[in-house]
Amino acid sequence: MKSNLWRLLISFIGLIMILYSLFLVSIGLLGTNTFGTITSYTRIMGERDEIIPNRYTYSLGYQFFVEEKVYSGSSTVIGSPLFIEPDGNSFVEIMYIEKIPNLNALKTDTSIDIGKFVLIVLGFILIYVMNPRLK
């Protein structure tokens, strides 16, 4: 019973990795482009432990309008130590599903890149390893 619970949980994590990557790519391919304003910009942790110095992780909140209705979202971005003041004058490019604007993401997150491919492959590996074929 306990091993089946772990197998199910890890398989579910693999499925979420696959679906999230496909969701972002599908918004990039099928979505509508717009601009939104930055509503919050908060540093999450200290300096990242990378080869490139002075890079930090930020939580970025944004909002945009579709047919005079406000929609919002958030994303995690990596940036320099320069702080962006969310004064309503800073803009970001957003992709959203036209019929369901609540499904949105930053345009930079919706591009097809190696990171999404790696997440999909790791998701399939997790599912495959946790569900071996019986002989």
Side-chain angles (χ1 to χ4, degrees):
M1 175 74 175
K2 203 174 199 177
S3 65
N4 286 338
L5 178 66
W6 284 110
R7 183 175 298 173
L8 253 163
L9 179 66
I10 293 174
S11 296
F12 182 70
I13 291 170
L15 181 65
I16 293 298
M17 291 168 69
I18 294 167
L19 292 177
Y20 183 66
S21 297
L22 292 175
F23 166 72
L24 288 176
V25 170
S26 66
I27 286 181
L29 294 174
L30 305 173
T32 304
N33 194 10
T34 189
F35 287 94
T37 57
I38 296 176
T39 57
S40 66
Y41 193 74
T42 308
R43 186 166 27 175
I44 297 175
M45 298 182 277
E47 185 173 351
R48 297 173 59 88
D49 189 22
E50 295 178 340
I51 295 173
I52 303 170
N54 293 327
R55 290 173 46 101
Y56 297 88
T57 305
Y58 295 94
S59 174
L60 178 98
Y62 57 87
Q63 70 178 11
F64 62 100
F65 293 89
V66 176
E67 297 175 1
E68 298 181 13
K69 188 170 180 190
V70 177
Y71 295 93
S72 62
S74 64
S75 183
T76 303
V77 295
I78 299 170
S80 69
L82 298 175
F83 185 76
I84 297 174
E85 183 68 38
D87 57 0
N89 294 326
S90 301
F91 298 98
V92 288
E93 205 166 359
I94 299 165
M95 298 292 290
Y96 68 95
I97 302 295
E98 190 170 352
K99 300 289 183 192
I100 312 168
N102 288 323
L103 299 178
N104 59 71
L106 291 178
K107 186 169 183 174
T108 56
D109 293 343
T110 62
S111 61
I112 299 173
D113 58 13
I114 191 73
K116 289 176 192 62
F117 177 72
V118 168
L119 275 178
I120 291 170
V121 169
L122 286 176
F124 278 118
I125 290 172
L126 283 177
I127 292 171
Y128 179 77
V129 168
M130 288 293 113
N131 299 294
R133 301 266 185 226
L134 298 176
K135 294 182 180 182

